Amino acid sequence: IASITGTNFSGFYNQSEGTAFVDATPDEVVNATNICSFSDGTFSNRHQFYAETNFYFLRTGASGSASGNTLGAAVANTKAKVAFSFANGSNFGSLNGGSVTTNTQTLPLTISELNLGSSPAGDVTNAMHLSRLSYWNDRLSNDYLTKLTS
């Protein structure tokens, strides 16, 4: 479990757009298996990549209102490569080279931390192997999201 907060976080994170790439293998896929989240320490404002009931999801929420994208099948002990980006009131995600999914949602503008292997509020932790995490402070193209995850 790891978190990046404070000036270590605010020095690189762009509130209005960004892209993250995660290469992870969860030990199990159970209700809300948290892989990676950018949040304000709550579930009210977040960008969250997680697994639930055998599917991976990307969820974005602002001021307590959240919606998400279903990215694809989640299997325990199987590598998942996901790239997700956000800009202009939309988020985009690709899993393992698959087609990019798009969702329109008000973007949270109070993100203050990155959590790996725990929920946006830090209250639920999960075991996983995280082999790579990358972040860009701009929104990369859909083609690039797919290439990153192939």
Side-chain angles (χ1 to χ4, degrees), residues 74-102:
V75 180
N77 298 305
T78 302
K79 184 180 285 206
K81 294 193 298 186
V82 66
F84 57 93
S85 63
F86 58 93
N88 301 319
S90 295
N91 64 42
F92 311 85
S94 177
L95 174 70
N96 297 331
S99 298
V100 172
T101 63
T102 303

Side-chain angles (χ1 to χ4, degrees), residues 11-35:
F12 73 86
Y13 186 78
N14 180 352
Q15 296 286 345
S16 60
E17 65 179 301
T19 303
F21 170 78
V22 179
D23 187 342
T25 305
D27 290 357
E28 60 183 353
V29 175
V30 295
N31 187 28
T33 300
N34 296 284
I35 309 294

Side-chain angles (χ1 to χ4, degrees), residues 66-149:
S67 64
N69 310 14
T70 302
L71 297 175
V75 180
N77 298 305
T78 302
K79 184 180 285 206
K81 294 193 298 186
V82 66
F84 57 93
S85 63
F86 58 93
N88 301 319
S90 295
N91 64 42
F92 311 85
S94 177
L95 174 70
N96 297 331
S99 298
V100 172
T101 63
T102 303
N103 186 50
T104 301
Q105 172 67 31
T106 302
L107 297 178
L109 298 176
T110 58
I111 301 299
S112 59
E113 62 188 57
L114 166 63
N115 292 299
L116 304 171
S118 68
S119 73
D123 59 347
V124 178
T125 59
N126 301 103
M128 68 171 172
H129 172 78
L130 178 68
S131 59
R132 194 164 82 174
L133 169 69
S134 300
Y135 173 79
W136 295 262
N137 63 1
D138 56 356
R139 194 267 201 246
L140 301 180
S141 71
N142 287 355
D143 286 342
Y144 202 75
L145 296 181
T146 302
K147 288 177 185 173
L148 276 171
T149 63

